[in-house]
């Protein structure tokens, strides 16, 4: 059983590559939004993780409506998306008169931090040759728990090695602890570390990767990301190319597109990946564009949030460590 592939819509639809001739930042944004209008709930999650979580995770509904307006998302769609996120346990609400304030739940904050840590961390993990294995037994956990655990482990990048056996190269203790607690199977599955035996002749590990992980769609997703965003980089290097609002739009579209592919990447070490892995240049491109848009986008985010709450803090210091360090 392979881990879930990137949905075809992520690769075949979405942003279309643009020719550089007579292209401006405004035109790039216009064409990007026209070719792939972001869904309200999905882009709300992007903004929550990239912009709001580092400021404590609380926001007024009106502020989020303002932040999402440049993406063509109406007030009604924002309200519906926030309501659904609250139903799913990501957000909790409070009221002050007629105004609604939302904040990330503790569980929601942890899950966003884990997901976004993957996005901003360098690709090509160093590997010591060890594996984390998870073994389940039907008589110990229920069918519903096995199904939910399988879904969570595959999303985390584990491969299904055999019936009831999941594996991932490297150490996964923190993520596993959270997953097992969420599925309510802590202490009910077997977790162990393993390494390749040097005493017994065996097939190449690349064969195991081919059998357990569907990397073809991930590769196409990264290539499509590069094709769509590589024309933007020289535009941003032009003098006066970005004001704060356009910087915020660019940064959000960038992370929104990158996470749609990257969160389906099982994060395997370079030693186990195909030659010329496109995730590496895709990450470098994302880092370079994010660097150029970061400062002005931060200004726009903070100004927008402080219109309804002048005490909204600047982003936590860890934000400046994204992509290996930001100005």
């Amino acid at each position: 059983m392979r881990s879930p592939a990137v949905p075809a819509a992520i690769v075949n639809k979405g942003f279309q590559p643009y020719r550089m001739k007579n292209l401006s930042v405004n035109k790039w944004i216009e064409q990007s939004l026209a070719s792939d209008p972001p869904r309200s709930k999905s882009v709300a999650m992007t903004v929550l993780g990239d912009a709001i979580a580092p400021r404590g995770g609380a926001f007024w509904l009106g502020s989020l409506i303002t932040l999402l307006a440049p993406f063509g998302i109406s007030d009604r769609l924002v309200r519906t998306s926030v309501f659904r996120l609250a139903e799913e346990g990501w957000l909790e609400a409070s009221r002050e008169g007629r105004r609604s304030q939302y904040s990330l739940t503790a569980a929601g904050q942890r899950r966003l931090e884990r997901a976004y840590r993957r996005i901003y961390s360098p690709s090509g993990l160093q590997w010591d040759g060890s594996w984390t294995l998870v073994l389940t037994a039907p008589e110990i956990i229920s069918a519903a728990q096995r199904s939910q655990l399988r879904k969570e482990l595959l999303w985390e990048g584990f491969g299904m090695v055999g019936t009831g056996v999941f594996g991932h190269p490297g150490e996964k203790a923190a993520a596993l602890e959270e997953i097992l607690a969420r599925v309510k199977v802590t202490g009910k599955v077997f977790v162990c570390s393993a390494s390749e035996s040097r005493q017994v002749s065996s097939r190449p590990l690349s064969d195991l990767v081919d059998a357990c992980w569907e990397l073809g769609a991930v590769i196409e997703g990264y290539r499509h990301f590069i094709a769509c965003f590589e024309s933007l980089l020289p535009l941003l290097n032009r003098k006066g190319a970005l004001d704060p609002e356009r910087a915020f739009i660019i940064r959000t579209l960038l992370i929104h597109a990158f996470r749609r592919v990257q969160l389906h990447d099982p994060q395997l070490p370079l030693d186990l990946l195909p030659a010329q892995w496109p995730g590496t240049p895709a990450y470098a491109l994302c880092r370079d564009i994010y660097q150029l848009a970061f400062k002005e986008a931060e200004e726009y985010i903070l100004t927008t949030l402080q219109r309804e709450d002048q005490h909204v803090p600047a982003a936590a210091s860890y934000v400046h460590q994204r992509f290996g360090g930001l100005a």
Side-chain angles (χ1 to χ4, degrees):
M1 175 70 70
R2 294 173 180 265
S3 54
V6 178
I10 293 177
V11 178
N12 298 326
K13 297 182 182 179
F15 298 163
Q16 299 302 313
Y18 308 123
R19 296 182 178 181
M20 282 295 297
K21 186 177 181 180
N22 299 323
L23 189 63
S24 66
V25 171
N26 282 345
K27 191 66 175 177
W28 190 96
I29 292 172
E30 177 185 330
Q31 293 180 349
S32 297
L33 291 174
S35 67
D36 184 28
R39 293 181 299 165
S40 56
K41 182 181 170 186
S42 183
V43 77
M45 288 295 292
T46 298
V47 172
L48 284 173
D50 186 64
I52 293 177
R55 293 173 168 80
F59 61 94
W60 292 98
L61 181 59
S63 297
L64 187 62
I65 288 172
T66 301
L67 287 172
L68 298 187
F71 304 97
I73 298 172
S74 68
D75 297 17
R76 180 182 61 80
L77 286 175
V78 176
R79 294 177 192 277
T80 300
S81 298
V82 168
F83 176 76
R84 289 176 179 169
L85 289 171
E87 278 192 323
E88 294 169 6
W90 290 96
L91 300 172
E92 52 191 1
S94 61
R95 294 190 66 85
E96 183 180 291
R98 300 182 62 182
R99 297 197 306 162
S100 297
Q101 186 180 46
Y102 289 85
S103 57
L104 287 164
T105 62
Q109 184 90 359
R110 287 194 301 271
R111 294 183 73 181
L112 274 181
E113 286 175 358
R114 182 157 57 89
Y116 277 76
R117 190 158 49 244
R118 286 176 56 175
I119 293 171
Y120 305 119
S121 298
S123 60
L125 306 177
Q126 295 296 317
W127 188 44
D128 61 2
S130 66
W131 291 76
T132 298
L133 299 179
V134 180
L135 298 86
T136 67
E139 62 274 14
I140 298 177
I141 63 176
S142 68
Q145 287 174 322
R146 288 200 307 274
S147 177
Q148 186 181 357
L149 180 61
R150 174 183 175 278
K151 178 180 178 182
E152 293 279 356
L153 289 175
L154 293 180
W155 184 255
E156 184 59 33
F158 280 77
M160 192 168 179
V161 181
T163 302
V165 181
F166 301 85
H168 194 284
E171 190 271 330
K172 280 281 185 178
L176 264 179
E177 185 176 6
E178 183 180 332
I179 289 171
L180 298 182
R182 187 160 61 247
V183 182
K184 297 182 173 56
V185 293
T186 300
K188 296 183 179 180
V189 300
F190 302 95
V191 180
C192 57
S193 297
S195 59
E196 183 180 12
S197 174
R198 302 298 181 186
Q199 286 74 43
V200 180
S201 177
S202 62
R203 293 181 66 175
L205 286 176
S206 58
D207 290 354
L208 180 64
V209 171
D210 290 341
C212 296
W213 285 275
E214 181 62 68
L215 296 180
V218 178
I219 289 171
E220 289 305 308
Y222 278 133
R223 288 174 176 166
H224 189 72
F225 173 85
I226 293 170
C228 292
F229 280 86
E230 62 185 353
S231 65
L232 180 60
L233 190 58
L235 299 179
L236 298 184
N237 282 311
R238 294 176 183 174
K239 185 176 180 180
L242 282 180
D243 57 34
E245 182 176 14
R246 285 189 295 179
F248 167 71
I249 295 170
I250 289 291
R251 173 172 143 181
T252 301
L253 290 175
L254 176 77
I255 294 300
H256 189 63
F258 190 62
R259 83 175 176 93
R260 290 168 71 185
V261 180
Q262 203 273 346
L263 290 181
H264 288 85
D265 183 343
Q267 297 283 285
L268 302 178
L270 279 176
D271 297 16
L272 298 178
L273 292 172
Q276 299 181 330
W277 177 246
T280 302
Y283 174 86
L285 177 62
C286 189
R287 177 200 62 209
D288 292 345
I289 295 175
Y290 197 90
Q291 284 264 17
L292 291 171
F294 176 74
K295 184 177 179 181
E296 287 77 10
E298 283 294 294
E299 179 184 334
Y300 182 80
I301 293 163
L302 187 59
T303 299
T304 301
L305 294 176
Q306 286 183 339
R307 288 174 189 163
E308 288 202 84
D309 183 358
Q310 61 180 344
H311 301 296
V312 171
S317 59
Y318 71 79
V319 168
H320 295 272
Q321 303 309 312
R322 290 172 173 173
F323 293 106
L326 300 169

